[in-house]
Amino acid sequence: MEQIFPYEHLHAFTRDVFLKIGCTPEHAQLAATVLLSADLRGIDSHGVARLSGYIRLWEAGRINPLPDIRIVHETPSTAVVDGDGGLGLVVAPFAMQVAIGKAKVAGTGWVSVRHSNHFGIAGYHAMMALEQDMIGMAMTNASPLVAPTFATERMLGTNPIAVAIPAATQPAFVADFATTTAANGKLEILQRKEQEAPLGWIQDKNGVPSTNPNELKSGGALLPLGGDREHGSHKGYCLGAIVDIFSAVLSGANYGPWAPPFVSFLPLPADPVGKGLGHFFGAMRVDAFRPAEEFKAHMDTWINRFRNAATAEGHEKVLIPGDPEREMQAERLEAGVPLLGPVVKDLGEIAMKFKIDF
């Protein structure tokens, strides 16, 4: 069963929860906006369904509600940001603004982040560049739940990549995807719905393909994009590895199997190689390459041509990356955000814990 909630209601509630854990009003407002952007765009696995996870991390002392987010190293076009253990929902926008500021001066800006936490959906941060006629990039490493091709050991996170590219009259091109066949949050949704997972999403602890969405609890692992070697899982493995290196090895965060888990009941690695989770952001000024209006006009041509590509039988149109999320956002802003029963229950328990209305 689903219940529908107005976006404004969920946003106000989420902001109040972040205030209760000690965030400043500015940070609480921003964190709620970033988190709820996932629900608006139909990425339900990364929205308010994760709010209880952030609370449990805070209770375990793994999230600093009043971080001193700062640049610890920089050049004219690059920087390293230390998030001081803050909410990734707040640390990431700070770092992306640094990248945008660098790009305004140098043409491009590149920022790696250490000592952060889960930052919501990558697409939100990449899209921050669009208003400046810039191309935005965002990526992050994550809890080690993914077995590399041919492995049974969990070494990488779902490690998403997002790229946002402006156009003129057409909506922006926004690609936002995990480097696994499916994100862990989708398994959580299947668990709540008591449904099986498709083959190619997960394997059991012995490396055998499985459809049990609870497999991770028994030592299983998510699979890289492609699912198996014959379907290109080595490419998904490479993509996830690149994200891990850019986000964490480059910044001084924990990488690979040392990345801290999102769930509070799992202990932190006893031998950390860095600080917290890592992110990586890029901003490229379009006019550093060609006149922005000229580029955006050609992006319109690109988008229109792909939209009008011949379709396979049974399919009405070709989608441009970002189309489904943009359409979902318009729908949910008007009609509300649907939440599954277990998520509503979690939010109700949070409301009771902090004595606020839900």
Side-chain angles (χ1 to χ4, degrees):
M1 293 288 291
E2 290 183 339
Q3 294 185 48
I4 307 295
F5 294 85
Y7 167 77
E8 294 78 9
H9 174 82
L10 291 176
H11 188 282
F13 172 76
T14 304
R15 178 203 62 213
D16 290 347
V17 170
F18 284 129
L19 285 171
K20 286 289 186 178
I21 70 171
C23 294
T24 66
E26 179 185 4
H27 282 184
Q29 179 78 8
L30 176 59
T33 298
V34 177
L35 189 64
L36 265 293
S37 69
D39 294 289
L40 282 182
R41 293 176 69 79
I43 309 171
D44 299 334
S45 57
H46 284 57
V48 290
R50 294 224 169 186
L51 184 57
S52 60
Y54 290 103
I55 300 308
R56 286 190 288 269
L57 286 176
W58 168 72
E59 290 173 334
R62 298 186 190 178
I63 285 180
N64 177 7
L66 293 171
D68 176 21
I69 308 168
R70 63 200 185 279
I71 296 171
V72 294
H73 179 76
E74 64 180 323
T75 74
S77 61
T78 67
V80 177
V81 166
D82 189 299
D84 195 28
L87 284 164
L89 304 167
V90 173
V91 175
F94 175 95
M96 188 63 191
Q97 287 291 4
V98 173
I100 291 170
K102 297 279 185 185
K104 286 180 178 179
V105 175
T108 66
W110 305 96
V111 176
S112 62
V113 179
R114 71 187 187 204
H115 208 184
S116 186
N117 283 284
H118 191 279
F119 75 2
I121 57 169
Y124 178 92
H125 312 297
M127 291 170 67
M128 288 174 61
L130 294 175
E131 293 182 3
Q132 307 296 325
D133 275 349
M134 294 184 188
I135 295 170
M137 297 177 61
M139 56 188 77
T140 182
N141 72 340
S143 308
L145 298 172
V146 184
T149 302
F150 304 143
T152 58
E153 191 174 358
R154 304 197 300 209
M155 299 291 288
L156 291 169
T158 54
N159 294 10
I161 299 171
V163 179
I165 304 173
T169 61
Q170 288 293 324
F173 174 109
V174 182
D176 183 0
F177 56 95
T179 53
T180 49
T181 305
N184 182 43
K186 291 188 176 181
L187 287 182
E188 294 170 351
I189 291 172
L190 291 177
Q191 291 164 18
R192 297 185 190 111
K193 292 182 176 181
E194 298 182 346
Q195 296 176 353
E196 289 191 338
L199 277 174
W201 282 24
I202 46 178
Q203 66 183 25
D204 68 16
K205 63 182 180 181
N206 299 313
V208 178
S210 173
T211 60
N212 178 5
N214 295 289
E215 203 68 73
L216 297 183
K217 300 174 184 177
S218 304
L222 291 171
L223 293 169
L225 184 63
D228 56 37
R229 178 65 173 78
E230 289 69 27
H231 294 91
S233 68
H234 58 293
K235 299 176 183 178
Y237 167 32
C238 287
L239 287 171
I242 289 167
V243 172
D244 195 44
I245 294 165
F246 278 28
S247 299
V249 180
L250 197 58
S251 67
N254 289 292
Y255 45 81
W258 292 279
F262 180 73
V263 290
S264 60
F265 58 82
L266 289 177
L268 292 170
D271 55 344
V273 292
K275 294 182 177 181
L277 279 184
H279 318 311
F280 186 78
F281 304 98
M284 294 182 283
R285 218 172 66 207
V286 168
D287 67 4
F289 298 88
R290 68 187 299 189
E293 295 308 315
E294 182 180 290
F295 169 83
K296 291 193 294 184
H298 278 280
M299 276 303 301
D300 279 359
T301 301
W302 190 98
I303 290 169
N304 282 320
R305 180 64 186 89
F306 275 74
R307 284 198 196 285
N308 291 296
T311 56
E313 184 176 351
H315 298 276
E316 294 182 2
K317 61 181 179 180
V318 172
L319 296 173
I320 302 302
D323 280 352
E325 295 87 353
R326 176 176 47 81
E327 292 168 4
M328 183 65 74
Q329 179 166 322
E331 177 183 322
R332 290 186 170 183
L333 280 173
E334 181 176 345
V337 177
L339 299 180
L340 292 171
V343 176
V344 175
K345 180 175 180 291
D346 276 353
L347 297 181
E349 290 173 354
I350 292 172
M352 291 178 62
K353 178 192 297 285
F354 292 113
K355 296 180 173 59
I356 56 180
D357 293 332
F358 175 58

